[in-house]
Amino acid sequence: MVRTRLNPNATAKLVEAVRNGKSDESIYVVTHHDRWLGESDKWMEAHLSKLDAGQYRIHALSVPSRGALHPFPRSWGMEFLMRNSTVNDIKLCVDLSPELGGSYGSPGLMWIGSNSVDPYGDCFPLFRRGVPSVGPSLESLRDLIRKDVKLSFEEVKGKLRETASLLPVELKARLLNLYDVADRESTVRLFNRLHGAMQATGERAVVIPFHKVVAVNRARILRKSIYLDSGHQVNWDPNLDLRRWNVYARELVKAWTEEYLEFLEAGLKEIL
């Protein structure tokens, strides 16, 4: 048996370098201390020299490694940084974490083919607040930063259709309002905020819209407990009578549907 204890005096530092652009809109470039500073003393300097965005202000952030005391490794550095910050002027979050297995791009980014997000990435806390996020290869970093960050609602319609079949009628009806919003960029950002991560026992996490409601259906199909990035979970007990489990599942769906409806109502009021 190994005895451990929490050190109450432990601290972690965030390192930030800023290159000003022509506007107040920002792009955040995030990775861990060992990536910015560990491989070479000139690594940060070399890559900052490539971030000649011109239009955007560049925030190069070096954050501590993710905490692992949860089914989802959390980027505590980014969550702490964003706790009391607004994200309205952040156009894009670029994740250079070395653990990422290939490129990814959040829904709505016109020049990214993928419609996925890395739930373990350092941009995930920003994406949950609506910021478009991308994990590029280092070779494409310069070209990526120089492009105008444009969002397309057409790119997210497919995602909405995929998810709608798993949602209660009340949510389906409310989603129809999103199709009529003139401010497409704000709509995409609202759609991003509807996403979350869920993870079945023994499987890798996935990021989807309305993840809490969908997780209940997944637990029933897989007959496994589903963990959610919010700290909630949908429990599957093989010894529990199925009728009793269905009552439990209906109560979860009802509560989370009301939560999503309130969120959508508030979000639509902001952008209509």
Side-chain angles (χ1 to χ4, degrees):
M1 180 177 179
V2 178
R3 295 186 179 276
T4 62
R5 64 184 181 88
L6 180 67
N7 181 357
N9 300 315
T11 60
K13 301 291 186 181
L14 303 179
V15 181
E16 181 177 16
V18 179
R19 178 186 287 270
N20 287 323
K22 295 178 181 178
S23 74
D24 292 331
E25 294 180 315
S26 301
I27 291 178
Y28 276 58
V29 182
V30 190
T31 192
H32 300 159
H33 293 328
D34 56 352
R35 190 65 184 247
W36 281 125
L37 305 172
E39 296 183 3
S40 167
D41 292 340
K42 297 186 179 297
W43 202 96
M44 178 179 279
E45 179 184 348
H47 283 278
L48 280 178
S49 67
K50 295 181 180 181
L51 305 185
D52 183 16
Q55 179 179 354
Y56 301 111
R57 175 187 295 150
I58 302 299
H59 291 254
L61 285 161
S62 181
V63 300
S65 296
R66 307 177 188 103
L69 300 178
H70 189 273
F72 296 94
R74 308 289 290 274
S75 181
W76 295 113
M78 291 303 295
E79 290 189 6
F80 177 80
L81 183 69
M82 292 292 109
R83 187 174 299 170
N84 298 311
S85 302
T86 61
V87 298
N88 294 336
D89 66 341
I90 303 177
K91 296 292 287 185
L92 184 70
C93 184
V94 181
D95 193 339
L96 298 182
S97 301
E99 294 86 357
L100 292 176
S103 301
Y104 74 87
S106 62
L109 286 171
M110 294 177 63
W111 30 265
I112 297 292
S114 171
N115 274 331
S116 64
V117 180
D118 190 334
Y120 308 101
D122 290 301
C123 284
F124 190 57
L126 275 74
F127 172 75
R128 286 295 309 274
R129 295 182 63 180
V131 177
S133 302
V134 60
S137 64
L138 290 179
E139 292 75 18
S140 63
L141 177 60
R142 184 174 183 177
D143 291 337
L144 171 69
I145 295 294
R146 285 184 170 181
K147 291 187 177 185
D148 188 17
V149 181
K150 292 183 178 179
L151 300 175
S152 169
F153 182 66
E154 299 300 318
E155 296 292 327
V156 308
K157 281 186 177 179
K159 280 277 189 178
L160 284 173
R161 293 192 186 99
E162 290 172 14
T163 309
S165 62
L166 301 173
L167 298 179
V169 174
E170 306 96 307
L171 281 176
K172 290 181 183 179
R174 179 60 69 187
L175 283 178
L176 293 177
N177 296 113
L178 289 178
Y179 287 83
D180 298 324
V181 178
D183 186 347
R184 294 309 201 190
E185 180 168 335
S186 294
T187 307
V188 173
R189 284 178 171 260
L190 176 60
F191 177 71
N192 288 350
R193 290 163 61 196
L194 289 166
H195 282 67
M198 68 177 189
Q199 182 178 23
T201 305
E203 297 185 8
R204 183 176 173 83
V206 294
V207 177
I208 57 173
F210 301 101
H211 68 304
K212 292 180 181 180
V213 172
V214 175
V216 178
N217 290 306
R218 294 295 292 165
R220 182 186 290 110
I221 293 170
L222 296 176
R223 297 181 178 269
K224 292 181 178 180
S225 293
I226 306 290
Y227 302 96
L228 305 173
D229 62 350
S230 58
H232 298 92
Q233 69 184 68
V234 181
N235 295 308
W236 175 266
D237 184 351
N239 299 315
L240 186 66
D241 180 83
L242 186 58
R243 285 178 294 181
R244 292 179 62 189
W245 190 90
N246 285 334
V247 171
Y248 158 74
R250 282 196 296 270
E251 290 299 315
L252 283 181
V253 170
K254 180 181 177 182
W256 284 335
T257 295
E258 292 176 356
E259 181 182 309
Y260 280 125
L261 287 172
E262 290 179 5
F263 177 84
L264 274 170
E265 187 72 26
L268 285 167
K269 284 181 179 179
E270 292 177 5
I271 61 180
L272 284 176

